[in-house]
PDB file of all heavy atoms in Angstrom:
ATOM      1  N   ALA A  22     123.545  85.719  92.208  1.00 98.00           N
ATOM      2  CA  ALA A  22     124.174  84.581  91.693  1.00 98.00           C
ATOM      3  C   ALA A  22     123.875  83.382  92.479  1.00 98.00           C
ATOM      4  O   ALA A  22     123.593  82.304  91.911  1.00 98.00           O
ATOM      5  CB  ALA A  22     125.783  84.810  91.699  1.00 98.00           C
ATOM      6  N   GLU A  23     123.788  83.441  93.875  1.00 98.00           N
ATOM      7  CA  GLU A  23     123.456  82.341  94.635  1.00 98.00           C
ATOM      8  C   GLU A  23     121.972  81.880  94.407  1.00 98.00           C
ATOM      9  O   GLU A  23     121.653  80.703  94.301  1.00 98.00           O
ATOM     10  CB  GLU A  23     123.554  82.645  96.125  1.00 98.00           C
ATOM     11  CG  GLU A  23     124.958  82.606  96.677  1.00 98.00           C
ATOM     12  CD  GLU A  23     125.135  83.249  98.051  1.00 98.00           C
ATOM     13  OE1 GLU A  23     124.149  83.342  98.799  1.00 98.00           O
ATOM     14  OE2 GLU A  23     126.217  83.779  98.360  1.00 98.00           O
ATOM     15  N   LEU A  24     121.135  82.963  94.307  1.00 98.00           N
ATOM     16  CA  LEU A  24     119.664  82.610  94.007  1.00 98.00           C
ATOM     17  C   LEU A  24     119.560  81.967  92.689  1.00 98.00           C
ATOM     18  O   LEU A  24     118.776  80.987  92.539  1.00 98.00           O
ATOM     19  CB  LEU A  24     118.820  83.883  94.032  1.00 98.00           C
ATOM     20  CG  LEU A  24     118.690  84.451  95.403  1.00 98.00           C
ATOM     21  CD1 LEU A  24     118.058  85.888  95.291  1.00 98.00           C
ATOM     22  CD2 LEU A  24     117.769  83.632  96.313  1.00 98.00           C
ATOM     23  N   LYS A  25     120.365  82.358  91.733  1.00 98.00           N
ATOM     24  CA  LYS A  25     120.275  81.803  90.465  1.00 98.00           C
ATOM     25  C   LYS A  25     120.648  80.298  90.508  1.00 98.00           C
ATOM     26  O   LYS A  25     120.026  79.457  89.773  1.00 98.00           O
ATOM     27  CB  LYS A  25     121.243  82.598  89.447  1.00 98.00           C
ATOM     28  CG  LYS A  25     121.087  82.203  88.049  1.00 98.00           C
ATOM     29  CD  LYS A  25     121.878  83.063  87.118  1.00 98.00           C
ATOM     30  CE  LYS A  25     121.748  82.603  85.619  1.00 98.00           C
ATOM     31  NZ  LYS A  25     122.562  83.492  84.829  1.00 98.00           N
ATOM     32  N   SER A  26     121.771  79.990  91.189  1.00 98.00           N
ATOM     33  CA  SER A  26     122.187  78.576  91.201  1.00 98.00           C
ATOM     34  C   SER A  26     121.215  77.769  92.040  1.00 98.00           C
ATOM     35  O   SER A  26     121.043  76.555  91.723  1.00 98.00           O
ATOM     36  CB  SER A  26     123.549  78.445  91.727  1.00 98.00           C
ATOM     37  OG  SER A  26     123.706  78.870  93.095  1.00 98.00           O
ATOM     38  N   LYS A  27     120.501  78.415  93.007  1.00 97.00           N
ATOM     39  CA  LYS A  27     119.586  77.563  93.871  1.00 97.00           C
ATOM     40  C   LYS A  27     118.158  77.379  93.098  1.00 97.00           C
ATOM     41  O   LYS A  27     117.637  76.293  93.150  1.00 97.00           O
ATOM     42  CB  LYS A  27     119.354  78.370  95.193  1.00 97.00           C
ATOM     43  CG  LYS A  27     118.502  77.607  96.159  1.00 97.00           C
ATOM     44  CD  LYS A  27     118.661  78.336  97.549  1.00 97.00           C
ATOM     45  CE  LYS A  27     117.621  77.683  98.476  1.00 97.00           C
ATOM     46  NZ  LYS A  27     117.372  78.610  99.517  1.00 97.00           N
ATOM     47  N   HIS A  28     117.725  78.424  92.449  1.00 97.00           N
ATOM     48  CA  HIS A  28     116.410  78.360  91.938  1.00 97.00           C
ATOM     49  C   HIS A  28     116.306  78.263  90.349  1.00 97.00           C
ATOM     50  O   HIS A  28     115.267  78.165  89.766  1.00 97.00           O
ATOM     51  CB  HIS A  28     115.599  79.576  92.281  1.00 97.00           C
ATOM     52  CG  HIS A  28     115.399  79.727  93.825  1.00 97.00           C
ATOM     53  ND1 HIS A  28     114.516  79.067  94.525  1.00 97.00           N
ATOM     54  CD2 HIS A  28     116.013  80.600  94.704  1.00 97.00           C
ATOM     55  CE1 HIS A  28     114.572  79.345  95.765  1.00 97.00           C
ATOM     56  NE2 HIS A  28     115.490  80.303  95.905  1.00 97.00           N
ATOM     57  N   ASN A  29     117.578  78.340  89.722  1.00 97.00           N
ATOM     58  CA  ASN A  29     117.618  78.435  88.355  1.00 97.00           C
ATOM     59  C   ASN A  29     116.830  79.541  87.674  1.00 97.00           C
ATOM     60  O   ASN A  29     116.342  79.462  86.523  1.00 97.00           O
ATOM     61  CB  ASN A  29     117.193  76.947  87.776  1.00 97.00           C
ATOM     62  CG  ASN A  29     117.856  76.743  86.414  1.00 97.00           C
ATOM     63  OD1 ASN A  29     118.906  77.347  86.158  1.00 97.00           O
ATOM     64  ND2 ASN A  29     117.217  75.927  85.638  1.00 97.00           N
ATOM     65  N   LYS A  30     116.670  80.663  88.365  1.00 97.00           N
ATOM     66  CA  LYS A  30     116.045  81.831  87.830  1.00 97.00           C
ATOM     67  C   LYS A  30     116.531  83.032  88.690  1.00 97.00           C
ATOM     68  O   LYS A  30     117.044  82.862  89.699  1.00 97.00           O
ATOM     69  CB  LYS A  30     114.544  81.753  87.761  1.00 97.00           C
ATOM     70  CG  LYS A  30     113.921  81.383  89.101  1.00 97.00           C
ATOM     71  CD  LYS A  30     112.389  81.209  88.917  1.00 97.00           C
ATOM     72  CE  LYS A  30     111.760  80.650  90.133  1.00 97.00           C
ATOM     73  NZ  LYS A  30     110.396  80.251  90.072  1.00 97.00           N
ATOM     74  N   VAL A  31     116.338  84.190  88.065  1.00 98.00           N
ATOM     75  CA  VAL A  31     116.859  85.406  88.771  1.00 98.00           C
ATOM     76  C   VAL A  31     115.624  86.339  89.042  1.00 98.00           C
ATOM     77  O   VAL A  31     114.603  86.260  88.349  1.00 98.00           O
ATOM     78  CB  VAL A  31     117.880  86.201  88.047  1.00 98.00           C
ATOM     79  CG1 VAL A  31     119.167  85.390  87.833  1.00 98.00           C
ATOM     80  CG2 VAL A  31     117.363  86.703  86.647  1.00 98.00           C
ATOM     81  N   PRO A  32     115.690  87.233  90.081  1.00 98.00           N
ATOM     82  CA  PRO A  32     114.644  88.131  90.345  1.00 98.00           C
ATOM     83  C   PRO A  32     114.436  89.132  89.173  1.00 98.00           C
ATOM     84  O   PRO A  32     115.466  89.441  88.515  1.00 98.00           O
ATOM     85  CB  PRO A  32     115.154  88.883  91.613  1.00 98.00           C
ATOM     86  CG  PRO A  32     116.171  88.025  92.222  1.00 98.00           C
ATOM     87  CD  PRO A  32     116.835  87.210  91.132  1.00 98.00           C
TER      88      PRO A  32
END
Side-chain angles (χ1 to χ4, degrees):
E23 280 166 27
L24 290 169
K25 191 176 179 180
S26 62
K27 188 169 168 198
H28 300 284
N29 207 22
K30 54 187 171 184
V31 295

